[in-house]
Amino acid sequence: MAAVAAATRWRLLLVLSAAGLGATGAPQPPNILLLLMDDMGWGDLGVYGEPSRETPNLDRMAAEGMLFPNFYTANPLCSPSRAALLTGRLPIRSGFYTTNGHARNAYTPQEIVGGIPDSELLLPELLKEAGYTSKIVGKWHLGHRPQFHPLKHGFDEWFGSPNCHFGPYDNKARPNIPVYRDWEMVGRFYEEFPINLKTGEANLTQIYLQEALDFIKRQQAARRPFFLHWAIDATHAPVYASRPFLGTSQRGRYGDAVREIDDSVGKILHLLRDLSIAENTFVFFTSDNGAALISAPRQGGSNGPFLCGKQTTFEGGMREPAIAWWPGHIPAGQVSHQLGSVMDLFTTSLSLAGLEPPRDRAIDGLDLLPTMLQGRLTDRPVFYYRGNTLMAVTRGQYKAHFWTWTNSWEEFRQGVDFCPGQNVSGVTTHSQEEHSKLPLVFHLGRDPGERFPLSIASTEYLDALRQITPVVRQHQEALVPGQPQLNVCNRAVMADSQQLHHWGSPSVLFCCREIMATQRTSAHEGAARRACAEAGQLSLGHQGLHL
């Protein structure tokens, strides 16, 4: 193993040396651009078969680089998947889940007081060791309180928002979402940064594009390696586009947003070429989770042939578009069937910088450099978590479901549908169905839509379980969940001494402690203090969250 590691480091040194030399003659690590879309589906790009073929720049990026048809997020929801990308760890490890309900999705709206713990090491923090300057443009979504600010977790610059562009709000009971430049709030969505919900017009993508272009130019002029995390949200409902793109897509407003994103990516790659740094810049394009079919077709995208979408652990919620681009290093026109994950971008980025991942914690991300540079395939499982529950596992071509669930009957009857037009009997269930003793197993090569489970009497079924069962057992035995950060604190119940339950659990104590911190200067301090001091005067909200 030591010889293999040494050989790998040596090959990396050769790659980095070819990528560029600094003024001192020492190898200069490549720049890193991670382009993270919001709710963009696997089927939204022409290269993945979208029939309108309206993404020429992204299609060209794939033709010049490597396409990953089997690339996954770490969670079917925004906040946990973003935490996974920047930590290289499953959200269950970093606390980006809720204990409010079994298999319950959660994120960081204004009511959530949790966020990324100080104990987590984020990618920009680690890249500082190799001299990188880091910037995030767009959506942060890892907590909105001061201790969770991106500049406290390794980023040097930020232009964007702690949340998505929800709203508009009345600025009384709830303010509009703020937009920041570094530490300074420079405005709010729907105010200084208008979004016209009727027409879909907003200039945010153009603003985010200019932020990216300016940052790249400044870092190139300073001859510093840089990490740019471009996390824009135009394809998240309510979708938006600037005036020149509105009405230009065959797909309606959502397609307008995709076309503007495609154009922006084209401009970013063109600038890298103009600055003669394309061969010293690694670029990766992907999405945080599957398309939000709950918003489709007007406000949501396409997950191609896959089942369901965002918020579910079926393939439509977890499998993402993914393109790697590094001219002169990644051979052009390649398709890799490596099972990839957004968590791999953490480990791969460290490898590009010549750094090792932290050894004091479990890291779930793989280094994809051997895949991208040499075509290697690594056997690895993909774990599908929904909240605090392991719902499914894929290994090779086989996927085993231990739980199935779309959303509740109550929500479904109110018109909330995570799988519109898709009904697979016994699979797309509206009650939480456990299959731990006899998992539902699909061969994703023959059946990517998860419509035909293998017969439990077949030899193939038994062989698949023999591959998957020991991986699941090993994972669960070694798993140490982080303290949950996304529990919902019900403030009304906090002050109601008649409500008694959940007292004493670590997550409740955390929730209570955080509420106390926010109530110290308010008229509600006494009620909150009494509620925290007396056992039982606390309740965690149990509600479905939709974004």
Side-chain angles (χ1 to χ4, degrees):
M1 290 297 293
V4 172
T8 300
R9 285 194 294 271
W10 174 246
R11 283 192 296 271
L12 177 60
L13 181 60
L14 292 177
V15 169
L16 296 179
S17 298
L21 294 175
T24 62
Q28 180 175 315
N31 308 309
I32 300 168
L33 268 69
L34 301 184
L35 312 178
L36 184 68
M37 302 302 104
D38 200 342
D39 291 5
M40 182 177 281
W42 189 95
D44 278 331
L45 308 185
V47 70
Y48 281 101
E50 200 289 312
S52 299
R53 293 293 196 271
E54 294 179 340
T55 53
N57 294 292
L58 285 163
D59 297 349
R60 188 180 306 115
M61 180 182 176
E64 295 173 352
M66 179 173 282
L67 188 72
F68 288 85
N70 303 321
F71 196 85
Y72 290 86
T73 184
N75 190 274
L77 205 61
C78 305
S79 293
S81 67
R82 292 162 190 268
L85 187 157
L86 290 173
T87 63
R89 288 153 54 82
L90 287 164
I92 191 75
R93 301 191 197 276
S94 63
F96 263 69
Y97 66 97
T98 177
T99 59
N100 288 155
H102 179 261
R104 184 72 59 174
N105 286 321
Y107 67 113
T108 56
Q110 290 167 292
E111 293 81 6
I112 290 287
V113 296
I116 192 70
D118 286 340
S119 58
E120 291 298 318
L121 293 174
L122 273 62
L123 179 58
E125 295 178 78
L126 298 171
L127 288 176
K128 286 184 182 297
E129 299 176 26
Y132 281 76
T133 300
S134 299
K135 177 166 185 165
I136 177 172
V137 175
K139 180 175 169 180
W140 168 238
H141 227 206
L142 300 188
H144 52 80
R145 303 186 69 213
Q147 65 265 38
F148 307 130
H149 193 287
L151 271 60
K152 283 201 170 185
H153 292 273
F155 283 103
D156 300 293
E157 299 181 23
W158 178 32
F159 182 86
S161 173
N163 211 313
C164 198
H165 55 280
F166 301 122
Y169 301 119
D170 60 10
N171 273 335
K172 295 177 182 177
R174 175 182 290 187
N176 281 317
I177 304 295
V179 176
Y180 286 85
R181 180 176 296 283
D182 300 332
W183 290 103
E184 181 184 0
M185 190 184 81
V186 293
R188 296 180 183 274
F189 291 134
Y190 301 96
E191 297 176 25
E192 292 82 1
F193 297 91
I195 303 170
N196 188 318
L197 294 183
K198 183 177 180 180
T199 66
E201 182 178 352
N203 289 324
L204 287 168
T205 299
Q206 292 303 308
I207 294 171
Y208 293 149
L209 169 62
Q210 196 59 50
E211 288 289 325
L213 299 178
D214 290 346
F215 177 74
I216 292 170
K217 292 175 185 176
R218 284 190 285 110
Q219 302 315 309
Q220 169 59 9
R223 297 190 179 279
R224 288 191 298 256
F226 61 83
F227 166 46
L228 174 60
H229 187 37
W230 199 60
I232 66 172
D233 66 354
T235 45
H236 187 300
V239 298
Y240 59 78
S242 61
R243 185 172 298 176
F245 291 90
L246 285 175
T248 65
S249 171
Q250 299 295 311
R251 304 177 63 194
R253 190 179 298 176
Y254 181 88
D256 296 339
V258 173
R259 290 201 66 214
E260 185 167 17
I261 288 171
D262 177 78
D263 182 78
S264 299
V265 172
K267 286 183 168 65
I268 290 172
L269 300 185
H270 184 74
L271 176 63
L272 297 177
R273 290 191 178 95
D274 279 356
L275 295 176
S276 300
I277 57 173
E279 293 192 358
N280 192 33
T281 305
F282 171 79
V283 185
F284 201 97
F285 177 95
T286 190
S287 180
D288 62 347
N289 46 248
L293 300 187
I294 187 175
S295 306
R298 295 182 182 274
Q299 299 274 335
S302 167
N303 294 315
F306 303 120
L307 186 62
C308 299
K310 177 181 179 177
Q311 298 231 41
T312 78
T313 48
F314 300 108
E315 291 296 287
M318 296 285 290
R319 203 184 296 209
E320 309 306 326
I323 303 169
W325 187 86
W326 191 12
H329 304 286
I330 297 176
Q334 300 298 302
V335 176
S336 174
H337 294 285
Q338 172 68 48
L339 291 183
S341 167
V342 294
M343 296 179 290
D344 300 343
L345 300 178
F346 172 89
T347 309
T348 302
S349 296
L350 292 179
S351 184
L352 285 164
L355 301 173
E356 296 282 343
R359 295 183 178 180
D360 63 344
R361 63 199 64 207
I363 299 294
D364 299 292
L366 294 180
D367 179 2
L368 292 178
L369 280 184
T371 297
M372 295 184 291
L373 302 181
Q374 301 157 13
R376 289 190 193 173
L377 297 179
T378 301
D379 180 34
R380 61 96 64 91
V382 173
F383 298 105
Y384 301 68
Y385 271 90
R386 182 165 170 169
N388 58 355
T389 304
L390 181 61
M391 303 287 285
V393 174
T394 286
R395 187 174 184 188
Q397 295 275 37
Y398 294 101
K399 180 178 181 180
H401 288 269
F402 306 107
W403 289 87
T404 54
W405 187 37
T406 55
N407 61 324
S408 70
W409 277 113
E410 179 183 4
E411 292 172 331
F412 182 69
R413 292 187 184 107
Q414 294 173 356
V416 178
D417 190 354
F418 294 166
C419 313
Q422 297 175 309
N423 180 26
V424 182
S425 179
V427 178
T428 53
T429 56
H430 291 289
S431 57
Q432 296 184 10
E433 300 293 334
E434 184 174 7
H435 310 280
S436 297
K437 293 183 179 179
L438 289 174
L440 295 179
V441 178
F442 298 89
H443 186 287
L444 294 178
R446 298 192 303 261
D447 180 24
E450 299 171 277
R451 288 166 172 80
F452 308 103
L454 301 182
S455 168
I456 61 174
S458 68
T459 301
E460 185 180 15
Y461 178 89
L462 297 175
D463 289 342
L465 285 188
R466 289 190 189 100
Q467 295 179 40
I468 293 173
T469 301
V471 171
V472 174
R473 183 183 302 116
Q474 181 181 9
H475 170 70
Q476 292 182 323
E477 289 175 352
L479 179 66
V480 179
Q483 180 171 279
Q485 297 293 312
L486 305 185
N487 282 337
V488 177
C489 301
N490 188 325
R491 293 173 181 267
V493 178
M494 274 293 295
D496 183 356
S497 61
Q498 303 304 311
Q499 301 292 328
L500 302 168
H501 68 295
H502 292 309
W503 179 256
S505 76
S507 58
V508 169
L509 293 172
F510 169 78
C511 190
C512 177
R513 185 167 61 249
E514 294 297 315
I515 284 187
M516 281 302 304
T518 65
Q519 298 287 15
R520 282 175 186 153
T521 59
S522 77
H524 301 292
E525 178 183 359
R529 188 177 299 279
R530 287 193 300 275
C532 285
E534 299 176 18
Q537 296 175 16
L538 176 65
S539 174
L540 302 181
H542 192 295
Q543 52 190 289
L545 300 174
H546 308 297
L547 63 161

